[in-house]
Amino acid sequence: MEETKLNSTRSSVLNILKGNTMMFVLVLVMILFEVLIRIFDKGSLFAPANITNLIRQNAYVAILATGMLCCILTGGNIDLSVGSIVALVGAIAGVLVVNCKMNTPVLIVLAIIICLITGTLIGAFHGFFIAYLHIPPFITTLAGMLLWRGVATLILNGQPIAPFPATYRNCFESFIPNASEAMTEKFGELDLFGSYVDTFTLMITGIITLICILAFVITEIVKRRNKIKKEYAVSSTGFFIAKLVGLSVVLLILGQFLARDRGFPIVLVILAIIVAAYSYFTQNTVPGRYLYAIGGNEKAARLSGVDTKKVMFFAYTNMGFISAIAALVTVARLDSAQPTAGTNYEMDAIASCFIGGASAYGGTGTVAGAVVGAIFMGVLNNGMSILGVDMNWQRVVKGAVLLAAVLFDIISKKKKSSK
């Protein structure tokens, strides 16, 4: 009896480790970079301002990764055009907001809607060729990568458009609460990292953090109860509580870091909404499960009554919409629309999905995993940049990490098939 319980516990631990491998690797990598940065006296990876910059600089990767995951789930398909779509939609935003003086709140909202519609139509254009004319996604999106980059350059005439009005930038680059630096320095106090902490910002950010933790705990409890009702396998109560406590502590620490800088970045709120929406869509809706069904076995899904053409069309139309959101975030952060914007963004998004556990063959992967992969890529970039690692060596490291992630996926699948 005791042996059975021991074996069950070991099995549960192994399953948890396998299911959260990248989370543990991410934590270890962050600790490693912090130690190295401290040794070489380069500051701190966990400085509040650096945590904020890490979020702002890599938000576009996580946003694109949520859309890219939907494409990868359909059978390992990818979209190579997302970087060029970012450049094109950013160019349109620059023309509308800066050149055409659409800089009042109402007109900015209209410009944003036009940009989102443009990105969605481009995605639908790709989806039509892929789903209904059966042109391989690689070829279609490769053509799109060249086509839309050229159109973006023509619209901008090879020159950047800048600066964007503060009203537009505040939609994506402001903070909650939006306390001024003068107020913070006057009424705040110096923290361990040498930056001023505004007590009002600290209080508001703390309240928001607690609300997020409460929402997370309630959501997880409801999900667990639903699984038990449907007689699905769930982890033991002890491990479930440990998971809730651990992730709640992580959220609390993150909230404190943000509070000690300028509060919650608006882009983090946008990202949280996207991640929550797509996590629910892929895990709890019939159309979302169709993505997994096609990736698992497209022929079987079609014979089961799934409209595979419509699902593929949706996946790439959605990718265009997500790329448009990433474009709006990017031009706000850069404060300019540039013909070179979005270069290699598709590679960052693809790498994030595979590093986060998505299968190169499709049918496996989660939005949360893709976001963890994006954070991992961001930490790698940020940590190596702080240490002064040459850009070429940074590419070598990122390439090796991506190859290792795909190799791990292939080996895992071979082990499962051999059992």
Side-chain angles (χ1 to χ4, degrees):
M1 188 71 176
E2 289 183 1
E3 282 188 23
T4 305
K5 286 184 178 179
L6 187 60
N7 290 332
S8 178
T9 304
R10 285 177 180 173
S11 179
S12 298
V13 171
L14 287 174
N15 288 333
I16 290 171
L17 289 174
K18 287 179 181 179
N20 300 278
T21 302
M22 278 312 303
M23 285 291 291
F24 293 115
V25 172
L26 175 62
V27 171
L28 290 175
V29 168
M30 292 181 76
I31 293 172
L32 175 62
F33 272 125
E34 176 66 11
V35 171
L36 291 174
I37 290 168
R38 291 283 187 177
I39 289 173
F40 290 101
D41 196 23
K42 298 282 187 176
S44 172
L45 181 72
F46 297 109
N50 190 55
I51 296 296
T52 300
N53 289 333
L54 191 62
I55 293 169
R56 293 170 62 202
Q57 291 170 5
N58 295 280
Y60 77 89
V61 183
I63 291 170
L64 288 173
T66 58
M68 190 66 72
L69 178 70
C70 294
C71 297
I72 291 173
L73 288 176
T74 61
N77 301 307
I78 57 175
D79 190 334
L80 295 174
S81 67
V82 296
S84 297
I85 297 175
V86 167
L88 175 56
V89 174
I92 292 171
V95 171
L96 293 175
V97 177
V98 180
N99 291 356
C100 296
K101 306 298 182 183
M102 295 178 67
N103 49 20
T104 63
V106 174
L107 291 178
I108 283 175
V109 171
L110 178 60
I112 289 173
I113 292 172
I114 292 171
C115 289
L116 293 176
I117 291 173
T118 302
T120 304
L121 290 175
I122 292 172
F125 178 80
H126 293 160
F128 174 76
F129 283 99
I130 293 167
Y132 296 101
L133 298 185
H134 304 292
I135 298 177
F138 183 88
I139 301 300
T140 301
T141 57
L142 178 62
M145 180 176 72
L146 302 173
L147 172 62
W148 307 124
R149 179 71 65 181
V151 174
T153 305
L154 289 172
I155 290 174
L156 294 172
N157 197 25
Q159 300 294 324
I161 295 177
F164 277 71
T167 310
Y168 175 83
R169 294 197 310 273
N170 287 339
C171 293
F172 303 97
E173 283 292 293
S174 59
F175 295 82
I176 301 174
N178 197 4
S180 66
E181 291 184 13
M183 288 285 290
T184 300
E185 193 163 334
K186 184 175 180 180
F187 297 105
E189 53 188 33
L190 209 62
D191 73 355
L192 295 174
F193 297 97
S195 57
Y196 283 92
V197 180
D198 177 39
T199 51
F200 178 71
T201 301
L202 192 65
M203 181 181 68
I204 296 299
T205 307
I207 292 171
I208 295 172
T209 302
L210 292 175
I211 292 171
C212 291
I213 291 172
L214 184 62
F216 163 72
V217 171
I218 292 172
T219 302
E220 288 297 313
I221 291 173
V222 171
K223 283 169 62 177
R224 180 180 171 83
R225 284 183 176 177
N226 288 336
K227 285 183 178 180
I228 292 173
K229 283 182 181 178
K230 295 175 182 178
E231 298 183 353
Y232 292 160
V234 294
S235 59
S236 65
T237 305
F239 284 116
F240 176 70
I241 293 173
K243 174 188 172 183
L244 291 184
V245 172
L247 291 177
S248 296
V249 169
V250 170
L251 290 174
L252 188 61
I253 293 172
L254 175 62
Q256 289 303 305
F257 279 131
L258 296 176
R260 292 183 176 281
D261 187 35
R262 283 161 287 180
F264 272 86
I266 287 292
V267 71
L268 180 60
V269 177
I270 295 171
L271 176 59
I273 293 171
I274 291 172
V275 170
Y278 279 84
S279 293
Y280 181 84
F281 172 76
T282 54
Q283 299 294 322
N284 298 287
T285 68
V286 174
R289 300 312 297 177
Y290 283 166
L291 295 169
Y292 289 91
I294 292 176
N297 191 322
E298 183 177 357
K299 186 177 180 180
R302 187 168 59 252
L303 292 174
S304 299
V306 177
D307 190 340
T308 55
K309 291 181 180 180
K310 188 181 291 185
V311 175
M312 288 293 290
F313 180 77
F314 164 78
Y316 282 89
T317 301
N318 174 71
M319 189 70 252
F321 171 73
I322 288 293
S323 299
I325 296 176
L328 295 171
V329 170
T330 299
V331 294
R333 181 173 61 86
L334 298 177
D335 196 19
S336 66
Q338 303 176 9
T340 57
T343 302
N344 291 330
Y345 278 19
E346 59 277 353
M347 299 304 164
D348 289 335
I350 293 166
S352 297
C353 291
F354 289 141
I355 291 171
S359 172
Y361 303 101
T364 302
T366 63
V367 172
V371 172
V372 170
I375 296 171
F376 184 85
M377 293 289 289
V379 169
L380 276 182
N381 289 331
N382 187 260
M384 289 190 290
S385 296
I386 293 174
L387 289 171
V389 177
D390 183 76
M391 186 60 68
N392 294 315
W393 278 108
Q394 290 189 33
R395 293 192 182 101
V396 170
V397 171
K398 288 191 288 185
V401 169
L402 175 59
L403 183 61
V406 176
L407 185 62
F408 178 79
D409 172 54
I410 293 172
I411 293 172
S412 297
K413 284 190 175 296
K414 283 185 177 179
K415 283 184 177 180
K416 286 181 181 178
S417 61
S418 63
K419 287 181 180 180

